[in-house]
Amino acid sequence: MSGLNLRQWPGAGDRPALALHCMMGNASYWGPIASDLADLVQISAPDLPGHGQSPAWAGAPPDYHTHVTRAVAPLITRPLDLIGHSMGATVALRIAVAAPEAVRSLTLIEPVLFAAAPEAEDVARLDELRKLVQSDAREEATRRFLAAWGGIDWEQQTPAGRSRLMQQIDLVTAGNDALVHDSGQILRPGGLESIDAPVLLVMGAQSPPVIPAIADALAARLPDVGRATLPGAAHMLPITHPRQVAELIRLNLERA
């Protein structure tokens, strides 16, 4: 067993789907999307380690991205539709590369695999974040991260909420080695090319420029890939635009 807290919504039980959330999120935000797709699939979603009601990450080897991947993998007991957002999308992609036969369709929403499109400015920004955390300036690091990726108003957070987010910033920096340097070897030769399931890359039109650059790099190597950009949306589109995201996921599910 994975030891993760698993949420599941009503749906078509003969077609399971697994959804993986972003950093500093939790599985609950898949609820509206699961409801919209209930006629086609039954979505389950774990709270990733250190998030929601799942156990904290102890910080010991392996690295955080590997730890998450190993925790999620036991939830896949038959070929299924795999959906991921942000960091969760990179875990979904890592699983698909390692076991393409386990994936019926793959929907990647804003995958933050920076190694696919490394820009000095993006790498420097992540390194700056790491240095802030190392110097115990967690509040400043958290504010900067949320300003770029979170879509969360820091000033509206309760003291408990701020404390939780500042703890989770450690997970952000712990996962960056895999995202920046591809320590999980997601981009290894022949890896992306081995995924024969239909893949859909979804992004917000107002997301950081690195997101379409990553999508370009991944799409160039995936054998069966579609792309969709949602007008008016940014990085947190599964939360801000759940109905439109569900409609896009449906298109990919129907292709499988």
Side-chain angles (χ1 to χ4, degrees):
M1 299 298 291
S2 71
L4 300 179
N5 179 63
L6 187 66
R7 307 176 194 237
Q8 189 173 73
W9 293 270
D14 59 342
R15 185 172 178 182
L18 189 68
L20 307 178
H21 67 77
C22 68
M23 197 70 80
M24 290 189 176
N26 65 65
S28 66
Y29 72 63
W30 294 111
I33 292 172
S35 178
D36 281 352
L37 297 174
D39 63 306
L40 193 57
V41 292
Q42 182 173 32
I43 292 182
S44 300
D47 291 329
L48 299 183
H51 295 79
Q53 299 175 39
S54 283
W57 177 54
D63 65 274
Y64 182 70
H65 200 276
T66 300
H67 177 76
V68 172
T69 305
R70 292 179 180 176
V72 167
L75 300 174
I76 302 174
T77 58
R78 56 180 283 194
L80 49 66
D81 299 285
L82 195 53
I83 304 161
H85 172 219
S86 192
M87 197 276 289
T90 68
V91 173
L93 185 58
R94 185 171 179 175
I95 290 171
V97 166
E101 70 282 357
V103 180
R104 182 170 176 171
S105 72
L106 181 63
T107 302
L108 304 175
I109 304 167
E110 301 253 329
V112 286
L113 187 57
F114 301 111
E119 289 288 340
E121 183 179 349
D122 295 311
V123 173
R125 192 177 293 115
L126 294 170
D127 190 51
E128 214 172 86
L129 203 66
R130 178 183 57 79
K131 290 176 179 176
L132 284 170
V133 172
Q134 287 177 338
S135 64
D136 208 28
R138 278 180 170 74
E139 179 173 337
E140 178 61 22
T142 306
R143 284 174 175 269
R144 291 192 189 187
F145 176 78
L146 293 175
W149 300 102
I152 296 174
D153 185 347
W154 179 261
E155 303 303 330
Q156 296 299 315
Q157 299 302 302
T158 65
R162 292 182 184 185
S163 176
R164 173 179 54 80
L165 293 169
M166 285 191 290
Q167 289 175 352
Q168 291 175 338
I169 196 66
D170 289 331
L171 303 180
V172 173
T173 56
N176 278 346
D177 187 56
L179 303 181
V180 175
H181 304 294
D182 192 29
S183 59
Q185 300 184 50
I186 298 170
L187 300 173
R188 63 182 178 269
L192 296 176
E193 291 80 1
S194 72
I195 303 173
D196 59 2
V199 181
L200 177 64
L201 294 163
V202 181
M203 69 197 80
Q206 297 178 2
S207 293
V210 68
I211 292 296
I214 292 170
D216 287 344
L218 297 179
R221 294 180 52 190
L222 291 163
D224 183 359
V225 62
R227 295 176 60 168
T229 301
L230 197 57
H235 185 64
M236 297 303 290
L237 61 168
I239 295 175
T240 60
H241 296 70
R243 179 63 58 85
Q244 295 95 319
V245 169
E247 289 173 356
L248 292 172
I249 295 173
R250 179 181 292 276
L251 293 174
N252 202 41
L253 295 174
E254 290 176 342
R255 291 177 59 222

